[in-house]
Coordinates of all heavy atoms in Angstrom, one line a residue:
D1 N 5.9 -14.1 -25.9 CA 5.1 -13.0 -26.4 C 4.9 -11.9 -25.3 O 4.1 -11.0 -25.5 CB 3.8 -13.5 -27.0 CG 4.0 -14.3 -28.2 OD1 5.0 -14.1 -29.0 OD2 3.1 -15.1 -28.5
Q2 N 5.6 -12.1 -24.2 CA 5.4 -11.2 -23.1 C 4.0 -11.3 -22.4 O 3.6 -10.4 -21.7 CB 5.7 -9.7 -23.5 CG 7.0 -9.5 -24.1 CD 8.2 -9.6 -23.2 OE1 8.4 -8.9 -22.2 NE2 9.0 -10.7 -23.4
N3 N 3.3 -12.4 -22.7 CA 2.1 -12.7 -21.9 C 2.5 -13.3 -20.6 O 3.6 -13.9 -20.5 CB 1.2 -13.7 -22.7 CG 0.7 -13.1 -24.0 OD1 0.2 -12.0 -24.0 ND2 0.8 -13.8 -25.1
Q4 N 1.6 -13.1 -19.6 CA 2.0 -13.5 -18.2 C 0.9 -14.2 -17.5 O -0.3 -13.9 -17.8 CB 2.4 -12.3 -17.4 CG 3.6 -11.5 -17.9 CD 4.0 -10.3 -17.0 OE1 3.2 -9.5 -16.7 NE2 5.3 -10.2 -16.7
I5 N 1.2 -15.1 -16.7 CA 0.3 -15.7 -15.7 C 0.9 -15.5 -14.3 O 2.1 -15.8 -14.1 CB 0.1 -17.2 -16.0 CG1 -0.7 -17.4 -17.3 CG2 -0.7 -17.9 -14.8 CD1 -1.0 -18.9 -17.6
A6 N 0.1 -15.0 -13.4 CA 0.7 -14.6 -12.1 C -0.2 -15.0 -11.0 O -1.4 -15.1 -11.1 CB 1.0 -13.1 -12.1
S7 N 0.4 -15.1 -9.8 CA -0.3 -15.3 -8.6 C 0.3 -14.3 -7.5 O 1.4 -14.0 -7.6 CB -0.2 -16.7 -8.0 OG -0.8 -17.7 -9.0
F8 N -0.6 -13.9 -6.6 CA -0.1 -13.0 -5.6 C -0.6 -13.4 -4.2 O -1.8 -13.7 -4.0 CB -0.7 -11.6 -5.9 CG -0.1 -10.5 -5.1 CD1 1.0 -9.8 -5.5 CD2 -0.6 -10.1 -3.8 CE1 1.6 -8.8 -4.8 CE2 0.0 -9.1 -3.1 CZ 1.1 -8.4 -3.6
Y9 N 0.4 -13.6 -3.3 CA 0.1 -14.0 -1.9 C 0.1 -12.7 -1.1 O 1.1 -12.0 -1.1 CB 1.2 -15.0 -1.4 CG 1.2 -15.1 0.1 CD1 0.1 -15.7 0.8 CD2 2.2 -14.6 0.9 CE1 0.1 -15.7 2.2 CE2 2.3 -14.7 2.2 CZ 1.2 -15.2 2.9 OH 1.2 -15.3 4.3
T10 N -1.0 -12.5 -0.4 CA -1.2 -11.2 0.3 C -0.3 -11.0 1.4 O 0.4 -10.0 1.6 CB -2.7 -11.1 0.7 OG1 -3.5 -11.2 -0.4 CG2 -2.9 -9.8 1.4
G11 N -0.2 -12.0 2.3 CA 0.6 -11.9 3.5 C 0.4 -10.7 4.3 O -0.8 -10.3 4.6
A12 N 1.4 -10.0 4.7 CA 1.3 -8.8 5.6 C 0.5 -7.7 4.9 O 0.1 -6.7 5.7 CB 2.7 -8.3 6.0
M13 N 0.4 -7.7 3.6 CA -0.3 -6.6 3.0 C -1.7 -6.3 3.5 O -2.2 -5.2 3.5 CB -0.4 -6.8 1.5 CG -0.8 -5.7 0.6 SD -1.0 -6.1 -1.1 CE -2.5 -6.9 -1.2
E14 N -2.3 -7.3 4.0 CA -3.7 -7.2 4.6 C -3.7 -6.2 5.7 O -4.7 -5.5 6.0 CB -4.2 -8.6 5.1 CG -5.6 -8.5 5.7 CD -6.0 -9.9 6.2 OE1 -5.6 -10.9 5.5 OE2 -6.8 -10.0 7.1
E15 N -2.6 -6.0 6.4 CA -2.6 -5.0 7.5 C -2.4 -3.6 7.1 O -2.4 -2.7 7.9 CB -1.5 -5.4 8.5 CG -1.7 -6.8 9.1 CD -0.6 -7.2 10.1 OE1 0.0 -6.3 10.7 OE2 -0.5 -8.4 10.4
A16 N -2.4 -3.3 5.8 CA -2.3 -1.9 5.3 C -3.6 -1.2 5.7 O -3.6 0.1 5.8 CB -2.1 -1.9 3.8
R17 N -4.7 -1.9 5.9 CA -5.9 -1.3 6.3 C -5.8 -0.5 7.7 O -6.7 0.3 8.0 CB -7.0 -2.3 6.4 CG -6.9 -3.4 7.5 CD -7.9 -4.4 7.4 NE -7.8 -5.2 6.2 CZ -8.7 -6.1 5.8 NH1 -9.7 -6.4 6.6 NH2 -8.6 -6.8 4.7
F18 N -4.8 -0.9 8.5 CA -4.6 -0.2 9.8 C -3.8 1.0 9.7 O -3.6 1.7 10.7 CB -4.0 -1.2 10.8 CG -4.8 -2.5 10.9 CD1 -4.1 -3.7 10.7 CD2 -6.1 -2.5 11.2 CE1 -4.8 -4.9 10.9 CE2 -6.8 -3.7 11.3 CZ -6.2 -4.9 11.1
I19 N -3.2 1.4 8.6 CA -2.4 2.6 8.5 C -3.2 3.8 8.2 O -4.1 3.9 7.4 CB -1.4 2.4 7.3 CG1 -0.5 1.1 7.5 CG2 -0.5 3.6 7.2 CD1 0.3 0.8 6.3
E20 N -3.0 4.8 9.0 CA -3.7 6.1 8.9 C -2.8 7.1 8.3 O -1.6 7.2 8.6 CB -4.1 6.6 10.3 CG -5.0 7.8 10.3 CD -5.4 8.2 11.7 OE1 -5.1 7.5 12.7 OE2 -6.1 9.2 11.9
L21 N -3.4 7.9 7.4 CA -2.6 8.9 6.7 C -2.3 10.2 7.5 O -1.3 10.9 7.2 CB -3.3 9.3 5.3 CG -3.4 8.2 4.3 CD1 -4.1 8.7 3.0 CD2 -2.0 7.6 3.9
A22 N -3.2 10.5 8.4 CA -3.1 11.8 9.1 C -1.7 11.9 9.8 O -1.1 13.0 9.7 CB -4.2 12.0 10.1
P23 N -1.3 10.9 10.6 CA 0.0 11.1 11.2 C 1.2 11.2 10.2 O 2.2 11.9 10.5 CB 0.2 9.8 12.0 CG -1.2 9.3 12.2 CD -1.9 9.7 11.0
I24 N 1.1 10.6 9.0 CA 2.1 10.8 8.0 C 2.1 12.2 7.5 O 3.2 12.8 7.4 CB 1.8 9.8 6.9 CG1 1.8 8.4 7.4 CG2 2.9 10.0 5.7 CD1 1.4 7.4 6.4
A25 N 0.9 12.8 7.3 CA 0.8 14.2 6.9 C 1.4 15.1 7.9 O 2.1 16.1 7.6 CB -0.6 14.5 6.5
D26 N 1.1 14.8 9.2 CA 1.6 15.6 10.3 C 3.2 15.6 10.3 O 3.8 16.6 10.5 CB 1.1 15.2 11.6 CG -0.4 15.5 11.8 OD1 -0.9 16.3 11.0 OD2 -1.0 14.8 12.7
R27 N 3.7 14.4 10.1 CA 5.2 14.3 10.1 C 5.9 15.1 9.0 O 6.9 15.6 9.2 CB 5.6 12.8 10.0 CG 7.1 12.5 9.9 CD 7.4 11.0 10.0 NE 7.0 10.3 8.9 CZ 7.7 10.1 7.8 NH1 8.8 10.7 7.7 NH2 7.2 9.3 6.8
L28 N 5.2 15.2 7.8 CA 5.8 15.8 6.7 C 5.4 17.3 6.6 O 5.8 18.0 5.7 CB 5.3 15.1 5.4 CG 5.8 13.6 5.3 CD1 5.1 13.0 4.0 CD2 7.3 13.6 5.2
G29 N 4.5 17.7 7.5 CA 4.0 19.1 7.3 C 2.9 19.2 6.2 O 2.7 20.3 5.7
G30 N 2.3 18.1 5.9 CA 1.2 18.1 4.9 C 1.6 17.2 3.8 O 2.7 16.8 3.6
L31 N 0.5 16.8 3.0 CA 0.7 16.0 1.8 C 0.1 16.7 0.6 O -1.0 17.2 0.7 CB 0.0 14.6 2.0 CG 0.7 13.6 2.9 CD1 -0.2 12.4 3.2 CD2 2.1 13.2 2.3
D32 N 0.8 16.7 -0.5 CA 0.2 17.4 -1.7 C -0.5 16.4 -2.6 O -1.4 16.7 -3.3 CB 1.3 18.0 -2.5 CG 2.0 19.1 -1.8 OD1 1.3 20.0 -1.2 OD2 3.3 19.1 -1.7
L33 N -0.1 15.1 -2.5 CA -0.6 14.1 -3.4 C -0.5 12.7 -2.8 O 0.6 12.4 -2.3 CB 0.1 14.1 -4.8 CG -0.5 13.2 -5.9 CD1 -1.9 13.7 -6.3 CD2 0.4 13.3 -7.1
V34 N -1.5 11.9 -2.9 CA -1.4 10.5 -2.4 C -1.8 9.6 -3.6 O -2.8 9.8 -4.3 CB -2.4 10.3 -1.2 CG1 -2.4 8.8 -0.9 CG2 -2.0 11.1 0.0

């Protein structure tokens, strides 16, 4: 029936908290949408 049961292991995703957007915007010359 297209119903789902799922589990998600975080792993390295936890380190996304250390990523800063400002250097990314500088590299691209700005960001229009995040």
Side-chain angles (χ1 to χ4, degrees):
D1 290 334
Q2 305 293 293
N3 294 315
Q4 296 180 313
I5 291 181
S7 298
F8 192 91
Y9 164 68
T10 302
M13 191 181 81
E14 183 178 328
E15 297 183 22
R17 66 186 63 185
F18 304 127
I19 302 173
E20 186 178 359
L21 294 180
I24 300 171
D26 290 343
R27 175 170 70 86
L28 298 174
L31 286 170
D32 297 312
L33 185 66
V34 173

